[in-house]
């Protein structure tokens, strides 16, 4: 690799197998541009791996031993799409150049032999295009970031409104409050195409929230309609049997809480599913234990052999679990870190809630989590 000493912000990477062509290029343009060179596709890939953040323009010859220039162009288009790509080619290879233009692999092609001044102009224009593209992308990222934050705040507001309308549940607002204080309501950064359709995004948000509301009502009502009483020990054994990777520790004398059995089972199933699917986890198994603590039943779910800290965010499973356990007067505390899991606390008597009292500023505390 040959490198010029020009102090321009971004480099031009020139790729050509002919040593004289590379020397000629550096001599002709190093006074105007910061130049990097490579003698083949593989060498260019090594330069890109080390200097991709410094490179604004790639210009490559088409005919080279080994892979031709269009192979490199396609590689850069996929791996480093921010780099502006040019192709130099002889008249006999114009078909390759035209195909590269049509497929979006290059901005322009330059026919050999070069005119020094004309090529200098082409390189300047390519760098200008690179800078304009960067400015556009930065403005777009800022625009999307604002929209993303607005959408997150709106989702929080919609969740609170939705919870307040669920009359079949006890303490639904407490459920959402306790959940939001532990996990964020996240929104994936939208694609460039979708970002330009703000009205469509708003319509999608309304539809998604209505669908979520319907799902939560169906999931929770179904549990609460089942008044069958089942021993908590039998319930835990049944849940563990469905997941061979879940180890259960519970004594037969653990008392069963006086709450809907189906609600407890659904809560634990939702929590296990939530923990199993938390992004960035690589756990092998879970353990589940239960014990009496004062007038409560404490059920602990723990991951084992986790190699990375999970990323927790609000999901349907988590909302349903928090809603059901709050209906029973209980709480869920998420345990974060590499040794992650959850602690589910249920009062033995449903009339004795263990839900902590909300302070008068809890709404401000929730929304402050989404302030920029």
């Amino acid at each position: 690799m040959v490198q010029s000493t020009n102090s321009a912000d971004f480099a031009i990477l020139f790729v050509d197998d002919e040593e004289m062509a590379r020397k000629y290029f550096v001599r002709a343009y190093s006074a105007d541009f910061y130049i990097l060179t490579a003698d083949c596709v593989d060498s260019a890939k090594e330069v890109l791996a080390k200097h991709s953040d410094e490179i604004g323009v790639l210009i490559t010859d088409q005919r080279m031993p080994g892979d031709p220039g269009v192979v490199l162009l396609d590689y850069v288009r996929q791996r480093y799409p921010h780099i502006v790509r040019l192709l130099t080619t002889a008249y006999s290879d114009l078909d390759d150049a035209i195909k590269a233009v049509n497929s979006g692999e290059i901005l322009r092609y330059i026919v050999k032999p070069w005119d020094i001044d004309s090529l200098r102009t082409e390189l300047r224009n390519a760098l200008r295009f690179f800078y304009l593209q960067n400015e556009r992308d930065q403005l777009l990222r800022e625009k999307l970031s604002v929209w993303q934050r607005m959408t997150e705040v709106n989702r929080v507001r919609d969740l609170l409104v939705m919870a307040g309308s669920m009359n079949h549940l006890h303490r639904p607002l407490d459920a959402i409050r306790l959940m939001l204080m532990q996990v964020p309501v996240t929104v994936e950064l939208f694609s460039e195409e979708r970002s330009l359709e703000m009205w469509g995004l708003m319509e999608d948000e309304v539809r998604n929230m209505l669908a979520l509301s319907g799902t939560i009502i169906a999931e929770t009502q179904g549990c609460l309609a089942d008044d069958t009483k089942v021993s908590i020990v039998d319930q835990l054994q049944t849940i563990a049997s469905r997941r061979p990777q879940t180890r259960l520790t519970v004594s037969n004398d653990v008392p069963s809480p006086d709450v809907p059995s189906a609600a407890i089972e659904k809560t634990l199933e939702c929590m296990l599913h939530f923990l199993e699917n938390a992004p960035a986890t690589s756990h092998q198994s879970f353990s589940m234990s239960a014990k009496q603590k004062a007038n409560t039943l404490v059920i602990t779910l723990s991951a084992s052999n986790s190699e990375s800290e999970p990323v927790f965010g609000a999901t349907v499973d988590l909302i349903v679990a928090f809603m059901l356990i709050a209906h029973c007067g209980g709480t869920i505390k998420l345990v974060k870190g590499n040794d992650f899991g959850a602690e589910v606390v249920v009062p033995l008597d449903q009339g004795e809630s263990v839900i902590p009292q909300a302070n008068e500023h809890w709404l401000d505390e929730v929304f402050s989590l989404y302030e920029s």
Side-chain angles (χ1 to χ4, degrees), residues 62-73:
Q62 167 62 355
R63 284 195 179 184
M64 294 184 290
D67 291 325
V70 291
V71 170
L72 176 61
L73 292 169

Side-chain angles (χ1 to χ4, degrees), residues 159-234:
L159 280 173
L160 293 169
V161 171
M162 176 191 70
S165 68
M166 294 194 171
N167 299 323
H168 67 291
L169 289 166
H170 301 315
R171 309 176 185 89
L173 275 174
D174 282 327
I176 296 299
R177 169 176 64 88
L178 295 174
M179 184 191 73
L180 291 176
M181 296 303 290
Q182 298 186 66
V183 297
V185 175
T186 57
V187 178
E188 293 296 327
L189 198 62
F190 310 111
S191 68
E192 180 177 342
E193 293 76 14
R194 291 291 288 132
S195 71
L196 302 178
E197 303 172 11
M198 295 303 184
W199 183 253
L201 287 169
M202 288 188 284
E203 289 181 333
D204 288 346
E205 283 296 307
V206 172
R207 280 193 292 268
N208 291 340
M209 188 54 64
L210 289 174
L212 174 64
S213 180
T215 299
I216 292 172
I217 289 173
E219 295 282 339
T220 54
Q221 278 185 335
C223 295
L224 301 180
D226 185 353
D227 58 1
T228 305
K229 293 294 183 180
V230 180
S231 146
I232 189 64
V233 175
D234 291 343

Side-chain angles (χ1 to χ4, degrees), residues 65-100:
D67 291 325
V70 291
V71 170
L72 176 61
L73 292 169
D74 182 61
Y75 174 83
V76 173
R77 179 176 62 84
Q78 295 185 48
R79 298 289 189 90
Y80 311 102
H82 65 285
I83 295 176
V84 176
R85 302 169 298 278
L86 305 175
L87 179 68
T88 66
T89 183
Y91 278 106
S92 58
D93 298 320
L94 279 182
D95 285 346
D96 293 327
I98 292 170
K99 288 177 184 177

Side-chain angles (χ1 to χ4, degrees), residues 243-274:
R243 289 178 167 82
Q245 76 276 23
T246 300
R247 185 177 69 257
L248 174 63
T249 304
V250 60
S251 61
N252 290 327
D253 60 352
V254 170
S256 298
D258 185 23
V259 297
S261 296
I264 297 298
E265 184 168 338
K266 183 69 174 180
T267 295
L268 297 177
E269 287 285 0
C270 284
M271 286 307 306
L272 283 168
H273 191 258
F274 167 76

Side-chain angles (χ1 to χ4, degrees), residues 244-246 276 281-287 303-307 340:
Q245 76 276 23
T246 300
E276 287 168 348
T281 61
S282 55
H283 59 273
Q284 300 296 319
S285 62
F286 276 96
S287 62
S304 63
N305 298 325
S306 177
E307 297 177 0
F340 67 97

Side-chain angles (χ1 to χ4, degrees), residues 300-348:
T300 303
L301 308 173
S302 302
S304 63
N305 298 325
S306 177
E307 297 177 0
S308 56
E309 183 175 348
V311 179
F312 285 162
T315 66
V316 175
D317 283 318
L318 197 63
I319 296 171
V320 170
F322 269 84
M323 288 281 198
L324 288 173
I325 209 66
H327 178 85
C328 299
T331 62
I332 296 172
K333 179 182 178 182
L334 294 173
V335 179
K336 301 179 182 179
N338 286 9
D339 299 323
F340 67 97
E343 185 179 81
V344 181
V345 181
V346 195
L348 294 175

